[in-house]
Amino acid sequence: MRIGTRASDLALTQSGQVGEALVAGTEHAVELVHVSTRGDRDRISPLAQIGGTGVFVTAVRQALLDETVDVVVHSCKDLPTAPLEEITLACYPAREDPRDALCARDGLTLAELPAGAKVGTGSPRRAAQLLRARPDLEVLGIRGNVETRLARALGEDADLDAVVLAASGLRRVGREAAISELLDPSVMLPAPAQGALAVEATTAALSAGPWFAGRLDAVDDPATRAAVTAERALLRTLEAGCSAPVAAYAELELADSGEDGDGPARSHVLRLRGLAIRPDGSHVVEGEARVVLDLDQDQLSGADSVPAELGAELAADLLERGAGAILAEAKA
């Protein structure tokens, strides 16, 4: 199975893990095919300046359409929300920890950083929420792979007091020990789909290969699909890209089914939180919505799925209360 992937350490690790899961129990082997994206070639410019949404995705998807690879693996938060007819979002493996992680000198927490401390991040969402929690900080834009960013705060020539990265990426590349604090969603709500991976295949290949479709289905995690679908629907309805100051996080909780049957209850409450925040952290529009969801039912896929409707509903509420003005200001 040829898997198209970016060539960064994190992307290769993620794609390798997914590949092994996809071929488990079969006689197939995995080949990782490296694809260079614009975001990889330009590691200095802000993401919004070099293309924003899709900057890490377009070239990888083209390899799939050119049939030089069989599937592609993305960090789902980088994936545009607009669907492509030729490509199917085939599966979501189980999600890693979606929280953001502070990696600070001397193991300091966010509360312990001194006034005026320099904190690095390439994410407007993270920068805005850092300033909301600690307006006294100096937040600076940074780019680069995991090791490059960690070195800015923890290396011998460090010029920052801390950096903020996704906990999921740090764990996948074995750098969890660098985390000084996992930031609670009440302090820093994650990016939509953060911590999740998305596996895409061509619609034609899924129709032509029963074993192939079966393996993708076996790897798909319904709880992750439900949560990520709701978060991405919110982002799509807000018409905001992956670099916008927007956050969303959905969690599943078991619902009281009221049944006294023998089998385990499969009904859950899907709780979605979302926000749009001014880049300087001075104004935020946030909200929450819930829906009862049955993971055994065909409620999880498509633009009209239950999680997608929940995301659209919360986004409409945020827009009604002023999120559109915040996003327009951020784009200006």
Side-chain angles (χ1 to χ4, degrees):
M1 182 179 287
R2 299 167 303 168
I3 298 181
T5 175
R6 296 167 55 206
S8 70
D9 289 342
L10 177 57
L12 292 172
T13 299
Q14 293 175 165
S15 298
Q17 291 171 348
V18 171
E20 292 304 318
L22 288 174
V23 301
T26 76
E27 297 180 355
H28 296 273
V30 172
E31 177 189 358
L32 298 182
V33 180
H34 299 185
V35 180
S36 176
T37 72
R38 187 176 181 187
D40 296 312
R41 293 190 294 272
D42 185 346
R43 297 186 178 183
I44 299 174
S45 303
L47 291 181
Q49 182 178 315
I50 61 173
T53 302
V55 71
F56 293 117
V57 172
T58 303
V60 182
R61 277 180 160 177
Q62 190 59 51
L64 184 63
L65 293 172
D66 291 342
E67 299 184 354
T68 58
V69 299
D70 302 304
V71 297
V72 292
V73 177
H74 308 284
S75 289
C76 194
K77 69 181 180 64
D78 296 331
L79 196 62
T81 57
L84 292 179
E85 183 178 347
E86 306 93 337
I87 294 177
T88 296
L89 217 168
C91 76
Y92 293 105
R95 189 180 203 171
E96 239 306 354
D97 190 334
R99 289 176 291 181
D100 291 291
L102 183 76
C103 303
R105 63 173 177 81
D106 305 321
L108 297 174
T109 66
L110 182 60
E112 292 169 343
L113 287 172
K118 296 180 178 180
V119 182
T121 175
S123 161
R125 171 193 60 85
R126 289 176 181 149
Q129 291 188 88
L130 281 169
L131 292 171
R132 182 190 187 193
R134 288 285 309 271
D136 59 305
L137 297 176
E138 183 180 356
V139 181
L140 303 172
I142 62 171
R143 288 282 313 280
N145 60 27
V146 170
E147 291 301 330
T148 298
R149 286 180 284 167
L150 285 177
R152 295 289 300 272
L154 306 180
E156 291 183 1
D157 299 319
D159 60 335
L160 301 174
D161 296 289
V163 292
V164 180
L165 294 84
S168 56
L170 291 166
R171 286 179 167 162
R172 286 179 177 131
V173 297
R175 294 291 267 132
E176 187 175 2
I179 299 173
S180 55
E181 182 183 12
L182 287 167
L183 298 172
D184 190 86
S186 63
V187 176
M188 185 172 290
L189 203 64
Q194 184 161 293
L197 301 177
V199 182
E200 291 186 318
T202 63
T203 306
L206 288 172
S207 300
W211 80 268
F212 180 56
R215 287 309 307 158
L216 287 161
D217 187 60
V219 172
D220 191 65
D221 181 65
T224 299
R225 178 174 286 273
V228 168
T229 298
E231 294 164 16
R232 283 170 52 79
L234 180 142
L235 188 66
R236 180 173 60 252
T237 305
L238 290 177
E239 298 183 352
C242 62
S243 60
V246 169
Y249 179 42
E251 299 175 276
L252 276 173
E253 303 168 354
L254 276 174
D256 182 3
S257 65
E259 299 175 357
D260 53 5
D262 297 329
R266 294 288 289 168
S267 290
H268 294 73
V269 172
L270 182 63
R271 176 194 179 200
L272 174 64
R273 286 175 279 173
L275 64 80
I277 185 168
R278 187 172 287 163
D280 64 4
S282 62
H283 180 56
V284 63
V285 176
E286 55 191 328
E288 178 179 318
R290 299 169 183 252
V291 70
V292 175
L293 184 70
D294 190 338
L295 295 183
D296 283 338
Q297 302 299 319
D298 186 20
Q299 300 183 345
L300 305 183
S301 299
D304 59 350
S305 68
V306 172
E309 289 181 351
L310 181 70
E313 172 190 319
L314 180 55
D317 174 63
L318 297 179
L319 288 170
E320 186 176 342
R321 295 190 287 114
I326 289 177
L327 296 176
E329 181 182 329
K331 289 179 183 179

